[in-house]
Every structure is written in C-alpha cells, then in structure tokens.
Amino acid sequence: MSLSDDFHVFDTTLRDGAQREGINLTVADKLTIARHLDDFGVGFIEGGWPGANPRDTEFFARAATELELRHAQLVAFGATRRAGGDAATDAQLAALLASGAPVVTLVAKSHDRHVELALRTTLDENLAMVADSVRFLRAQGRRVFIDCEHFFDGYKANRDYALAVVRTAHEAGADVVVLCDTNGGMLPAGVNAIVADVLAQTGARLGIHAQDDTGCAVANTLAAVDAGATHVQCTANGYGERVGNANLFPVAAALELKYDRRVLPEGCLPEMTRISHAIAEVVNLTPSTHQPYVGVSAFAHKAGLHASAIKVDPDLYQHTEPALVGNRMRMLVSDMAGRASVELKAKELGYDLSGDRDAVGRIVARVKARENLGYTYEAADASFELLLRDEVSGTRARFFALESWRTIGEQRADGGQANEATVKVVARGERIISTGEGNGPVNALDMALRAALERFYPQLAELELVDYKVRILEGEHGTTSQTRVLITTSNGKDEWSTVGVAQNVISASWEALEDAFTFGLLRSGLEPGLEPGLEP
C-alpha cells in the first residue's frame, strides 16, 4: 500500500528516544530498531545526528548497505548553520549531506531568549541561519523539516518572533515546520489554540513534537492534529529524555482507529503489539504491562461485573477489538472473580464449562479460599490452569510425587557460599534420590529436581526459569508471615507463571517450581502417567 504524503508518522526513537536514562544503543541495536519501525510502517525514521558523534555517523554509513526499508525514509538530524557563518562551508551541514539521508531535520531556535542567551546572537541572524540552511540543503536535493525548539514557550513569550521563525522556514522551502513542546509543559487546549493560530497566520505545513512532562504528550499530539497539524513526531513506547515523548503506538492507533485516518500501510497495525515488545527487548527494558493498546493488561478484565457483561458482548467493556493492534483479551481470575470470570477464563484456556455449574462453583470457591491464603492467580495463569484441570478431571495432574526435599546453605568466613539440595521423588514407578548445587537454595532445588527426572522427561532440558519474585504477605509477626513466590518459566517459545505460598520462602518456591515443571510437561504434549499406589 502506497501512503499519501498528506500525513506523516515520523519516528525519532533512534535519536530522541535514545536520550532516555538507561538506554544506550549500539549501532547494531539502532539498525534492528529501524527494521522494526519500518515493519510498523512509519513514514520517516530519524536515525541520529551524523557528525555530532561517531556512532550516529557509523549508523548512516551502515544503513546505506544493511537497511532495505520498504515503507520508511531515513532522516538525518542536525542544526542550522553557525551564527555568522556560511551554509555552504558549514561542517555540520556537510555531515548531514554526507550521511546520504534523503531527508534532513534541522533544529532551530524559536524562543527569543534562547536565541540571545544560548546562541548568543541576534534575532535577525537566527532568522538568516534558518533561511540559509534550508535553502542550501534544498539546493542539494534534500527534503527539509524544521524543528522549532521551545516553540510553545517562545510563542507565549514573543508571539511575533515565534511566528517569524515559522514563516522564514516555510518561505525558504522547508516542507514541514514542527512545533516542539520541548519542556513538555503544555496542555491540549493550549496546543490546539496555538497550532490553529500559527496555521492561520503562516500557511505553513505544521508538525507536532510533544514531550510528556505533564503526561499529556499523546493528547497534545492529537490536539495539534485536530488543529490542522499533518506531521506527528513520536517515539516507540514513549521513550525519551526525562519522562519521555509522545508514544508512537497510541498515537498511530488513535489516528487509524479513532480518526479513521490511514497513516500506516495496510496490515501493519496488527503488528503493533509485537513490535512494541520487540523494541523493548532491544533496549533491554521490560515492556510496560499497562501501556495502552499493546500492554499485556490493556485488554485484561478482572472484576466479576465486567466479566458478566463481556460474556454477553466483549465490546461492552472494550474500546476496540484487541486483534486490530495485535493484542488479545485476557480474563483475570482472583477473589473478585464470579462465575462469568471463571467460565470465560476456562474458555480462553480451552475448557468449556458453560454446562457445568457445579464445576464453576467449585472453582470459584477454591480460588477465593486460596487467594485468602495469599495465592494470586491473575499473575499465575499456569497455576490456575492446573487448578482448573484438577477440578474438571477430579485428579491432580502429576508426573512425579514428592517424598521429601531438603536444602543446606553454608556461609563461610571468607564470604564464600555453598547451597545444596536433596530431593526424593517417585516417577515412573521408581524412587529416586538426587542432589543438586546452585547459587541459592531454590536454584539448588531446581537442579536436583531436574537431575532426578531428566531420564524420564528429557523435555525438562528446554525449560528455563526466567523470573523469580518474592513477596512477604501480611501476618501477625514478621517472621511468621506468609511468603508468596511467583516463578516465570519459558520453553524458548512461550512463558508461563506459577505461584506458591508458605510460611518460608523455600517451601513456597518448591510449590511454584513443582507447578512450573508440571505445566511445562503438559505443554510439551505429555500426559501424567504415575502409577497408582506408588505415591509415598
């Protein structure tokens, strides 16, 4: 699908997004993210500031041979010529041309105090810097966008001068003049009014670049669109300096689904959730579970009242169809759950309980009782599925039976530690005693249990514990409080979470670990086969 140039989705994750604290992208990371963004169908990918640092210069050099973009154009970012200089001999503008990028974004001062205090030049010279730089790059065959830094603050301080910067850029040949809320202090009504005024006064094509310091970056971006902006600058997952930028994904989804405006190539919007999570993986940040549209909780329902309505019609408690953005509806089971919650969750897991009111009642009662003890099933789908399976089948799914386990921890005077575990289990009619060592008692138990069962269940080699959380629950005394452990396990393709609760962390961990192994073996297609009468 060939999109019209009438509206731009411009991504600046590789430059502005990379300024977030904790993000440090390699060139390989930037190339990977660029491919993901191109898959999503953005029109422009701002790759960085060539000439300002070696990494961005290398990115553009490698992009020329390593990136095959289907939808996006690469954009090089830089500044207008230096005060008192000449555009044709300006080293920074030369580096922008040398990048090979077909589009250039130039940052320009639009706040009079910034011109005088930061650039240390006159207001007239700043206008000349804008005009000269745009004309020079246009003469070299480049498309030029102008980012008016601190525009909204500058407009409030000196409206005439801020408008003069926009007119100058527009008349010099800039395709888009982007109004930047650099400090992120604007609110939607103010953005809307100012963008509408600038459009009426200058006739320039306008864009919006919003920071999220008031939590309004997405709303401010859409307010600018309502006022006539046709170019939106965003970052994946809202990454950016301080609290971040306008989040690409809710902005794009709102434009497509709420404004009914085609801003992405056909078939790209359903890739949104996957791409959001993939980029989070590259930057090594945990995806936000509660992010609009793409978070795992974006279409999760917990309250029993909601579940009853969703059972009739999912649209009653969902603003859009999750599949449109590549996500899915999830039912959470907790002590707030009613019959409808359990019935819908069971259906999600492949169990039809619509005709078995007794089973539904038993499951609801068991969930409420166990959550009262400290269990949490909304965060442990695998443990809930095992509970559900138990109630439906009437028997506990078991691939092994525990006789006992024991852990030993040794702390040496020199600071060294040693942890050893012994497990005694019955599997396939055989009593097995096995030991394991690990970097902690739970890891040692994991190693010992694997060693005991690996002859019978080689599938365990695929399982990896990828997350481990401990929470001390309320109790009468600190040392006798209940402990809850959540374990997340992966087989390399899928992940699942299990829960254990006990008065000590190791016992709770064993329970979660036993559920994790049992669920993993069920997921691999095996059926429990422990012979009757052999359980200790």
Side-chain angles (χ1 to χ4, degrees):
M1 177 181 177
S2 177
L3 286 175
S4 167
D5 191 55
D6 292 342
F7 196 95
H8 297 166
V9 176
F10 180 111
D11 182 90
T12 180
T13 304
L14 301 183
R15 184 190 66 81
D16 225 17
Q19 295 180 41
R20 169 171 167 152
E21 185 177 6
I23 290 181
N24 186 21
L25 301 178
T26 65
V27 175
D29 291 336
K30 290 171 68 100
L31 292 167
T32 299
I33 292 172
R35 294 184 186 100
H36 287 311
L37 293 169
D38 185 54
D39 286 344
F40 186 51
V42 301
F44 301 91
I45 298 172
E46 192 168 66
W49 191 324
N53 66 74
R55 187 175 301 175
D56 285 357
T57 302
E58 181 185 346
F59 168 77
F60 283 98
R62 290 180 58 179
T65 57
E66 297 181 34
L67 280 185
E68 295 182 6
L69 301 178
R70 296 177 297 136
H71 303 125
Q73 295 185 69
L74 273 186
V75 181
F77 178 88
T80 56
R81 69 157 173 83
R82 293 182 181 277
D86 176 53
T89 59
D90 188 89
Q92 175 57 46
L93 295 181
L96 295 173
L97 292 174
S99 74
V103 184
V104 171
T105 295
L106 292 176
V107 62
K109 299 293 185 185
S110 55
H111 190 313
D112 55 357
R113 292 186 68 243
H114 280 264
V115 173
E116 294 170 339
L117 298 179
L119 288 183
R120 298 181 181 180
T121 190
T122 66
L123 300 185
D124 286 342
E125 173 62 7
N126 181 59
L127 295 178
M129 291 159 60
V130 172
D132 292 348
S133 302
V134 173
R135 291 194 187 102
F136 172 72
L137 291 172
R138 286 298 303 266
Q140 301 301 315
R142 298 302 192 270
R143 190 174 192 181
V144 181
F145 302 151
I146 287 286
D147 278 3
C148 288
E149 187 182 37
H150 296 284
F151 180 83
F152 292 93
D153 296 329
Y155 176 97
K156 292 178 181 180
N158 186 338
R159 174 177 175 270
D160 290 342
Y161 187 72
L163 291 173
V165 175
V166 174
R167 286 195 193 95
T168 298
H170 174 56
E171 292 168 1
D175 282 6
V176 180
V177 181
V178 183
L179 311 183
C180 301
D181 183 21
T182 308
N183 288 344
M186 291 297 295
L187 299 176
V191 169
N192 184 276
I194 292 174
V195 172
D197 181 50
V198 174
L199 187 62
Q201 296 298 321
T202 67
R205 181 175 183 179
L206 300 181
I208 180 69
H209 178 113
Q211 300 294 130
D212 200 34
D213 296 75
T214 61
C216 292
V218 170
N220 286 343
T221 299
L222 297 176
V225 172
D226 289 336
T230 58
H231 172 112
V232 293
Q233 294 194 357
C234 309
T235 63
N237 299 320
Y239 300 144
E241 194 169 23
R242 302 187 307 277
V243 299
N245 290 41
N247 190 333
L248 169 67
F249 301 118
V251 168
L255 291 169
E256 287 263 337
L257 300 176
K258 310 298 183 179
Y259 284 61
D260 197 26
R261 178 174 253 161
R262 301 282 73 80
V263 299
L264 299 174
E266 188 173 354
C268 289
L269 188 64
E271 294 296 309
M272 191 162 80
T273 298
R274 177 188 66 80
I275 289 170
S276 167
H277 294 184
I279 292 175
E281 188 72 27
V282 176
V283 302
N284 199 29
L285 292 174
T286 302
S288 171
T289 57
H290 293 81
Q291 187 176 167
Y293 294 99
V294 301
V296 296
S297 297
F299 300 96
H301 305 278
K302 180 174 179 178
L305 179 63
H306 289 204
S308 298
I310 286 170
K311 185 179 176 182
V312 177
D313 182 354
D315 290 342
L316 293 175
Y317 274 97
Q318 292 185 160
H319 70 98
T320 193
E321 169 58 44
L324 294 175
V325 293
N327 211 334
R328 66 184 182 90
M329 184 180 76
R330 293 170 56 238
M331 297 305 303
L332 304 179
V333 176
S334 72
D335 58 357
M336 297 175 66
R339 289 178 174 271
S341 297
V342 168
E343 192 174 322
L344 287 170
K345 183 63 178 180
K347 185 177 181 180
E348 181 185 319
L349 297 173
Y351 298 86
D352 184 3
L353 299 182
S354 57
D356 194 342
R357 289 182 56 83
D358 289 343
V360 173
R362 291 195 309 271
I363 294 166
V364 169
R366 190 172 171 189
V367 167
K368 290 180 182 292
R370 288 176 71 80
E371 292 229 346
N372 190 51
L373 296 174
Y375 291 84
T376 176
Y377 289 106
E378 65 179 88
D381 276 4
S383 286
F384 174 74
E385 186 168 348
L386 292 175
L387 181 153
L388 177 68
R389 182 187 172 104
D390 293 351
E391 290 295 337
V392 171
S393 67
T395 59
R396 171 67 172 168
R398 281 186 169 181
F399 292 93
F400 57 92
L402 174 68
E403 179 178 313
S404 68
W405 59 259
R406 178 178 63 188
T407 63
I408 300 172
E410 180 183 356
Q411 177 69 54
R412 303 189 185 99
D414 62 1
Q417 293 182 344
N419 293 277
E420 181 182 295
T422 301
V423 298
K424 299 176 183 179
V425 295
V426 175
R428 300 279 177 86
E430 184 177 330
R431 182 173 182 265
I432 308 154
I433 302 175
S434 178
T435 61
E437 294 180 339
N439 57 15
V442 178
N443 182 234
L445 277 176
D446 181 20
M447 295 295 103
L449 187 56
R450 289 174 186 270
L453 300 177
E454 60 188 3
R455 286 189 296 121
F456 305 117
Y457 306 117
Q459 295 87 348
L460 292 176
E462 300 175 355
L463 305 189
E464 178 185 4
L465 273 62
V466 295
D467 197 13
Y468 177 85
K469 295 184 176 74
V470 177
R471 181 177 177 183
I472 305 301
L473 306 175
E474 294 180 5
E476 294 181 4
H477 305 287
T479 56
T480 60
S481 297
Q482 292 284 86
T483 301
R484 180 167 66 215
V485 169
L486 287 167
I487 288 177
T488 302
T489 306
S490 173
N491 61 4
K493 296 177 291 185
D494 303 308
E495 290 186 358
W496 55 89
S497 295
T498 53
V499 61
V501 174
Q503 283 194 340
N504 72 77
V505 66
I506 304 176
S507 295
S509 300
W510 171 267
E511 185 179 2
L513 187 65
E514 186 174 1
D515 272 8
F517 277 35
T518 300
F519 188 83
L521 292 173
L522 287 170
R523 179 63 65 90
S524 70
L526 296 180
E527 287 296 325
L530 188 65
E531 293 85 345
L534 289 177
E535 291 92 341

